[in-house]
């Protein structure tokens, strides 16, 4: 759409949520497949649990699901928040190429974790 010499574009933001019940310290779960390139703008994580729940997790992407993949946040993120959610807006590799898988991995879990929810905005 053109407005007096200024072109306006419509940018659609999409959210997707992954909910994992009783996550272990070695989850490896496909989150989504995209045939179009996308840029992650925010990730929000929250736990349901007790006894000081904690999960260390990461999102990875690659065109080959069996590859190591690129981490969205190098070294992952440790989530302990059980009330308002933890917003992650600083990334090392937020650009997911077309024809790629995005997957969720955990590397540590402690306390009683009934579920972890990860929402991405892209």
């Amino acid at each position: 759409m053109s407005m007096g010499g200024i072109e306006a574009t419509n940018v659609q933001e999409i959210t997707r949520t992954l909910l994992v019940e009783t996550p272990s310290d070695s989850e490896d779960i496909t989150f989504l497949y995209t045939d179009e390139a996308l840029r992650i703008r925010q990730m929000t994580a929250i736990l349901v649990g007790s006894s000081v729940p904690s999960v260390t997790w990461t999102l990875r992407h690659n065109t080959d699901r069996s590859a190591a993949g690129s981490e969205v946040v190098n070294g992952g993120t440790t989530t302990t928040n059980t009330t308002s959610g933890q917003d992650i807006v600083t990334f090392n590799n937020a650009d997911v190429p077309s024809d790629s898988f995005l997957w969720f991995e955990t590397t540590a879990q402690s306390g009683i974790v009934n579920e972890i929810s990860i929402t991405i905005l892209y």
Side-chain angles (χ1 to χ4, degrees), residues 69-114:
S70 299
E71 283 187 291
V72 175
V73 175
N74 292 348
T77 301
T78 299
T79 298
T80 58
N81 193 305
T82 60
T83 55
S84 59
Q86 172 187 16
D87 293 334
I88 298 102
V89 295
T90 303
F91 309 106
N92 300 99
N93 196 342
D95 293 320
V96 180
S98 62
D99 299 320
S100 289
F101 295 92
L102 181 68
W103 64 94
F104 168 82
E105 293 181 354
T106 59
T107 55
Q109 181 271 334
S110 63
I112 297 171
V113 182
N114 300 101

Side-chain angles (χ1 to χ4, degrees), residues 6-7 10 19 24 26 29 42 44 50 54 60 70 75 80 87 98 110 112 114-115:
I6 300 172
E7 187 164 324
N10 219 358
L19 176 72
S24 71
S26 59
I29 301 169
Q42 179 176 316
T44 302
S50 59
S54 174
R60 294 180 182 271
S70 299
T80 58
D87 293 334
S98 62
S110 63
I112 297 171
N114 300 101
E115 67 182 44

Side-chain angles (χ1 to χ4, degrees), residues 24-61:
S24 71
D25 61 359
S26 59
E27 300 293 341
D28 185 349
I29 301 169
T30 300
F31 197 142
L32 62 85
Y33 170 82
T34 181
D35 58 354
E36 297 180 10
L38 62 88
R39 173 172 285 164
I40 297 173
R41 302 195 181 286
Q42 179 176 316
M43 300 186 302
T44 302
I46 191 159
L47 301 177
V48 174
S50 59
S51 300
V52 194
S54 174
V55 175
T56 301
W57 59 277
T58 192
L59 291 182
R60 294 180 182 271
H61 58 82

